[in-house]
């Protein structure tokens, strides 16, 4: 089934037209669904709460008018920390209509990192849930969170105008509620689609050099239009995801978008809700999907029959995982791995069956999407450009292409093969070692759920020492797994070059980054350093 057609994948993809929809035009297209399908469900939360297209359009009109009446001006920065929900999408659509700059920030990044980013944007408005205001400002709540190792930034202390989602709780600053905005009398007509709307998203990092990715109305518009068209979304689809970049294309098509939430995925609940919601398109990161696959396989069941397309993103999907996934999806369900980044969404994609049929030395991520341009520099780094490229990093000027930080090659069919991260490359002796290449091979060994290859400087050797960290699959004996992996490597049963053989193999749960849901390499290295010393 040709469900997802990046250019060249099937020879059937058209090119992205030059005149892409802008983000304000997309908002008007979404709200126009109210006249075409007024009683159709637009958004649904897993709690069961729903909103129709007609009600969504009414609420966005009211909230837009309410914000205008309260003097939110085009171009003002709004610090936005509300997780995916009916409330968040209502506010985002209204902010686009006003012409605000939306600064997306997750308070879970930590107080120090958050403060460094706040200094970069200096917002005029803050929008957050009441419970987050309380958790981040109330002394008792802060003390309880600190015991659990979490310190949220004090949102209430930010000198800005505040909008809250939820009731007035202890620690919530003087603010207007979303309920009040929804009740605004439409005495002020909503603005016409604004120009130069911007969305700012922070990348992961440290306090030293915060990176604020700036997208404009054209780059975001190009991304949303590209995904809607390439996913072939229609009004009959039910999109099961909390990713905004899938929620918006779903609404553009008049589909129903079921938001799954950001909390750690409960695999049984995910399967049940995907089935009862009638999901036709679903998104998951591999670290979540592997648990869903384990749950489904353990119960002798498959993913819902109604799924026509499963999208995997945010992290590599290795062979062993895909083989297990293939066993629990119906033949009618297409599975695609999408390669993308905050600076440019999407870049390329590949079908599961195509990936499994290719014995590539690296992570095969497929053909580029229509309009996406690629360049591999002399040192092997991949550069990308196209209509969905971000404008640039805040305070650093505009860009014409983006250095991905990924080392890559193009195969004979023009498909992208990721060889590793430029910064993660380990130099031992005269050899360049790419952890992701080793990890993709180790992950295919039975009993390995995930792996992470780290290097640390050994003074006795005056060289790098390689440590392979294994996270075992459920029920695996750690000592037996180490023997199996070591035997496979030494016996040559794997495609690992001798120069990349690990010096040590350890077993532990691999920590995950809370936001990206990828292996937190810094945390792994920190734990290893503690073990070594």
């Amino acid at each position: 089934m040709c469900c997802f057609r990046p250019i060249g994948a099937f020879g059937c993809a058209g090119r992205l037209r030059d005149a892409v929809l802008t983000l304000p035009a997309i908002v008007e297209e979404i709200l126009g669904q109210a006249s075409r399908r007024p009683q159709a469900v637009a958004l649904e939360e897993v709690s069961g709460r729903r909103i129709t297209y007609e009600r969504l359009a009414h609420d966005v009109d009211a909230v837009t008018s309410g914000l205008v009446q309260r003097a939110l001006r085009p171009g003002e920065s709004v610090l936005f920390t509300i997780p995916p929900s009916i409330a968040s999408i209502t506010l985002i659509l209204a902010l686009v209509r006003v012409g605000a700059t939306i600064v997306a920030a997750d308070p879970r990044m930590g107080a120090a990192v958050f403060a460094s980013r706040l200094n970069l944007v200096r917002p005029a408005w803050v929008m957050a849930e009441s419970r987050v205001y309380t958790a981040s400002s109330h002394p008792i709540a802060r003390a309880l969170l600190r015991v659990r190792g979490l310190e949220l930034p004090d949102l209430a202390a930010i000198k800005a105008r505040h909008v809250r989602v939820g009731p007035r709780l202890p620690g919530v600053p003087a603010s207007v509620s979303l309920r009040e905005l929804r009740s605004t009398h439409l005495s002020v007509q909503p603005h016409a689609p604004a120009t130069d709307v911007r969305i700012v998203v922070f990348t992961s990092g440290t306090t030293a050099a915060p990176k604020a990715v700036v997208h404009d109305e054209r780059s975001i518009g190009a991304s949303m239009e590209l995904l809607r068209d390439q996913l072939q979304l229609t009004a009959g689809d039910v999109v099961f995801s909390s990713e905004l970049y899938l929620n918006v294309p779903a609404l553009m098509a008049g589909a129903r978008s079921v938001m799954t939430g950001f909390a750690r995925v409960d695999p049984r609940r995910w399967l049940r809700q995907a089935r009862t919601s009638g999901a036709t398109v679903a998104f998951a990161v591999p670290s979540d999907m592997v648990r869903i696959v384990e749950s489904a396989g353990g119960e002798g069941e498959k993913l819902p029959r109604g799924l026509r397309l499963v999208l995997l993103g945010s992290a590599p999907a290795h062979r062993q995982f895909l083989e297990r996934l293939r066993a629990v999806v119906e033949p009618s369900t297409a599975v695609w791995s999408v390669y993308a980044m905050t600076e440019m969404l999407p870049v390329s994609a590949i079908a599961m069956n195509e990936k499994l049929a290719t014995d590539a030395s690296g992570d095969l991520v497929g053909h580029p999407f229509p309009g996406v341009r690629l360049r591999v520099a002399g040192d092997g780094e991949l550069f990308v450009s196209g209509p969905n490229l971000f404008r640039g990093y805040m305070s650093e000027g505009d860009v014409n292409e983006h250095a991905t930080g990924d080392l890559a090659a193009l195969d004979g069919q023009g498909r992208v093969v990721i060889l590793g991260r430029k910064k993660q490359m380990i130099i031992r002796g005269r050899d360049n070692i790419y952890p992701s290449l080793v990890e993709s091979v180790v992950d295919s060994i039975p009993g390995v759920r995930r792996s992470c290859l780290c290097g640390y400087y050994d003074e006795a050797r005056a060289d790098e020492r390689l440590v392979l960290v294994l996270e075992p699959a459920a029920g695996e004996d750690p000592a037996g797994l180490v023997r199996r992996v070591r035997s496979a490597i030494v016996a040559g049963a794997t495609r690992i070059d001798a120069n990349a053989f690990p010096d040590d193999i350890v077993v532990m749960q691999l920590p995950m980054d809370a936001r990206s849901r990828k292996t937190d390499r810094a945390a792994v290295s920190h734990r290893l350093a503690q073990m070594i010393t």
Side-chain angles (χ1 to χ4, degrees):
M1 182 177 179
C2 187
C3 295
F4 199 24
R5 300 178 177 180
I7 186 167
F10 297 93
C12 56
R15 292 200 61 78
L16 185 67
R17 62 179 184 270
D18 293 331
V20 298
L21 288 173
T22 63
L23 185 55
I26 284 174
V27 171
E28 298 311 311
E29 184 172 309
I30 290 171
L31 301 183
Q33 297 288 351
S35 61
R36 297 187 288 273
R37 330 183 55 245
Q39 298 309 308
V41 175
L43 298 166
E44 180 179 336
E45 296 173 353
V46 291
S47 64
R49 183 165 179 257
R50 296 179 167 189
I51 188 172
T52 64
Y53 276 100
E54 183 177 58
R55 183 67 194 186
L56 177 63
H58 172 276
D59 285 358
V60 171
D61 278 349
V63 172
T64 303
S65 293
L67 293 173
V68 171
Q69 288 180 30
R70 289 165 176 81
L72 196 160
R73 297 185 298 273
E76 285 191 317
S77 292
V78 179
L79 187 67
F80 197 89
T81 69
I82 304 168
S85 61
I86 293 173
S88 68
I89 290 184
T90 300
L91 281 166
I92 287 171
L93 297 181
L95 288 171
V96 171
R97 295 188 102 192
V98 174
T101 293
I102 304 170
V103 182
D106 186 344
R108 294 175 300 175
M109 68 178 65
V113 176
F114 193 94
S116 70
R117 280 129 179 81
L118 195 65
N119 289 333
L120 193 62
V121 297
R122 300 189 181 279
W125 293 71
V126 176
M127 296 186 176
E129 291 182 311
S130 296
R131 59 183 179 177
V132 175
Y133 277 121
T134 298
S136 67
S137 62
H138 195 277
I140 296 177
R142 288 178 66 85
L144 291 173
L145 288 175
R146 197 174 293 116
V147 170
R148 299 171 60 181
L150 179 63
E151 185 171 4
L152 298 178
D154 189 350
L155 298 180
I158 299 174
K159 296 185 184 304
R161 301 191 67 178
H162 294 263
V163 174
R164 73 178 188 275
V165 174
R168 185 178 294 280
L169 299 174
V172 174
S175 55
V176 60
S177 70
L178 177 58
R179 176 174 292 183
E180 292 175 80
L181 292 173
R182 280 177 170 149
S183 302
T184 302
H185 180 64
L186 299 180
S187 58
V188 176
Q189 289 298 314
H191 284 197
T195 58
D196 206 28
V197 174
R198 296 188 182 193
I199 294 182
V200 180
V201 183
F202 290 110
T203 61
S204 301
T206 66
T207 60
K211 288 285 189 180
V213 176
V214 180
H215 278 278
D216 61 21
E217 60 189 40
R218 293 168 185 81
S219 62
I220 290 290
S223 293
M224 299 301 98
E225 188 178 12
L226 182 59
L227 285 166
R228 179 198 60 184
D229 294 347
Q230 295 298 302
L231 295 176
Q232 299 183 356
L233 295 174
T234 70
D237 277 312
V238 177
V239 178
F240 193 62
S241 170
S242 284
E243 305 295 336
L244 192 63
Y245 57 78
L246 289 179
N247 298 144
V248 171
L251 294 174
M252 292 168 66
R256 174 158 54 101
S257 188
V258 181
M259 289 167 289
T260 57
F262 268 153
R264 181 173 171 82
V265 167
D266 179 310
R268 298 306 306 166
R269 185 180 180 189
W270 191 97
L271 287 164
R272 183 175 64 254
Q273 291 174 336
R275 187 171 290 108
T276 57
S277 68
T280 61
V281 177
F283 171 86
V285 298
S287 59
D288 286 338
M289 184 56 76
V290 69
R291 297 169 59 242
I292 295 168
V293 169
E294 287 176 354
S295 180
E299 297 293 327
E301 62 178 307
K302 293 193 173 185
L303 269 60
R305 184 181 298 272
L307 283 171
R308 69 172 179 86
L309 178 61
V310 172
L311 297 172
L312 303 170
S314 297
H318 296 310
R319 175 175 293 273
Q320 183 200 23
F321 159 65
L322 290 177
E323 288 174 343
R324 296 167 64 192
L325 175 57
R326 183 164 59 178
V328 299
V329 296
E330 299 287 348
S332 58
T333 302
V335 179
W336 290 84
S337 296
V338 181
Y339 173 57
M341 57 209 66
T342 306
E343 292 84 354
M344 189 167 177
L345 171 76
V347 174
S348 66
I350 188 168
M352 173 178 65
N353 291 337
E354 181 182 358
K355 189 166 183 173
L356 287 174
T358 306
D359 189 19
S361 180
D363 184 23
L364 180 65
V365 296
H367 291 90
F369 280 87
V372 172
R373 297 182 294 275
L374 308 174
R375 179 174 71 86
V376 178
D379 64 355
E381 184 174 8
L382 179 66
F383 286 72
V384 296
S385 60
N388 51 331
L389 178 69
F390 76 130
R391 173 175 287 186
Y393 296 112
M394 184 174 286
S395 303
E396 293 188 18
D398 292 355
V399 298
N400 295 316
E401 63 178 359
H402 173 58
T404 65
D406 288 327
L407 299 169
L410 300 181
D411 70 5
Q413 300 180 44
R415 299 175 300 182
V416 183
V417 181
I418 302 298
L419 303 176
R421 291 291 294 167
K422 189 175 180 179
K423 290 183 178 179
Q424 291 169 1
M425 183 178 70
I426 301 168
I427 301 176
R428 183 166 68 168
R430 297 183 178 182
D431 298 314
N432 295 336
I433 298 168
Y434 306 108
S436 64
L437 291 183
V438 176
E439 292 157 5
S440 65
V441 174
V442 173
D443 288 353
S444 68
I445 298 173
V448 177
R449 175 181 278 179
R450 279 186 293 269
S451 64
C452 182
L453 184 68
C454 298
Y456 70 93
Y457 187 72
D458 185 342
E459 292 186 359
R461 292 185 174 193
D463 202 353
E464 291 288 317
R465 189 175 186 87
L466 294 182
V467 179
L468 178 63
V469 183
L470 307 175
E471 179 176 321
E476 281 291 329
D477 170 56
L481 181 61
V482 170
R483 288 194 297 270
R484 186 183 313 134
V485 171
R486 192 182 300 279
S487 175
I489 292 173
V490 173
T494 61
R495 302 185 309 278
I496 297 177
D497 291 339
N499 64 352
F501 283 3
D503 299 293
D504 303 293
I505 302 177
V506 299
V507 177
M508 69 180 184
Q509 290 294 116
L510 287 172
M512 307 297 290
D513 182 271
R515 291 190 297 145
S516 68
R517 287 179 281 184
K518 299 178 184 178
T519 299
D520 189 336
R521 290 182 179 272
V524 175
S525 295
H526 179 69
R527 291 187 186 180
L528 285 176
Q530 292 178 320
M531 295 169 61
I532 292 167
T533 56

